[in-house]
Amino acid sequence: MSEPNRFLALFDQVVDQTIAELVDRAGYAAVPVDTPALFLGTRVDKIAIGALVRHLLLAEAHWFEQVREVSPGGVIPFPSNAAVLEGIPDGAPLLETYRRSYAERRSQLEAPTEADVTKEIVFAGRRYTVIGFLWTVLGHHSFHLGQIDLLMRQQGIEPPEYMEWPEDQRVLG
């Protein structure tokens, strides 16, 4: 299995688990303790489940698009596309938007050439190969999935165990 296919196989499972974890769940607006440390910048106001899902959706859509479009050595800007989610409520509509966006952007990563995955790019002042950056995106998603897990547990909702992926019939990665 190629490195990009390993990445996609595992990222698919993390996205599927994130969506499955939040289907028919309450508490999208729950915020643990209001402190300045909960501010995520201009893209997301506060760490809340709905805000975290929006953050993942926007960042991943932007990054997956950019890794294909940016020139070798080019800089990927920070996402600035939050307006596309205005008016989409938390819950099923947000999860369906995320599912659809992921499917569209995922297809941009299929069948890359060796030049595509070894191309060097810059994000947040750090240099990556595209495949290295994609693995970093997986880490980013998992980081925020942990925050969602904590918010759910603080509300008495027991989320599924991490890495009990929906896929159990094939080798992942």
Side-chain angles (χ1 to χ4, degrees):
M1 181 181 288
S2 72
E3 190 73 3
N5 287 340
R6 258 193 293 284
F7 166 80
L8 288 172
L10 289 170
F11 205 85
D12 287 348
Q13 297 308 298
V14 172
V15 168
D16 288 349
Q17 183 174 19
T18 301
I19 292 169
E21 192 167 305
L22 295 172
V23 169
D24 299 326
R25 302 289 183 136
Y28 276 83
V31 176
V33 178
D34 194 14
T35 72
L38 293 179
F39 184 70
L40 288 178
T42 58
R43 297 177 307 278
V44 175
D45 290 337
K46 295 285 184 181
I47 296 175
I49 292 172
L52 288 165
V53 172
R54 282 175 170 75
H55 174 68
L56 289 172
L57 189 162
L58 294 171
E60 291 165 8
H62 173 73
W63 290 333
F64 287 0
E65 187 174 280
Q66 288 291 304
V67 295
R68 290 291 257 176
E69 292 180 4
V70 70
S71 301
V75 176
I76 293 178
F78 282 96
S80 61
N81 51 351
V84 301
L85 293 181
E86 286 180 14
I88 299 174
D90 288 341
L94 178 60
L95 294 177
E96 183 53 37
T97 300
Y98 184 35
R99 185 187 330 266
R100 194 172 48 253
S101 174
Y102 177 68
E104 290 168 8
R105 296 313 186 284
R106 184 195 186 283
S107 66
Q108 295 174 323
L109 301 177
E110 293 176 350
T113 66
E114 182 67 19
D116 290 334
V117 296
T118 59
K119 174 174 67 174
E120 288 190 16
I121 58 172
V122 176
F123 179 74
R126 279 125 187 116
R127 293 176 38 187
Y128 297 89
T129 61
V130 165
I131 195 66
F133 183 69
L134 291 175
W135 284 114
T136 301
V137 171
L138 177 68
H140 173 265
H141 187 107
S142 298
F143 175 79
H144 290 308
L145 183 57
Q147 292 172 319
I148 291 169
D149 181 278
L150 180 62
L151 287 169
M152 291 175 76
R153 289 175 191 276
Q154 288 177 339
Q155 297 175 76
I157 301 169
E158 188 173 338
E161 292 297 321
Y162 184 67
M163 295 185 348
E164 289 184 4
W165 311 121
E167 175 64 60
D168 63 1
Q169 299 301 309
R170 64 184 169 112
V171 174
L172 299 172

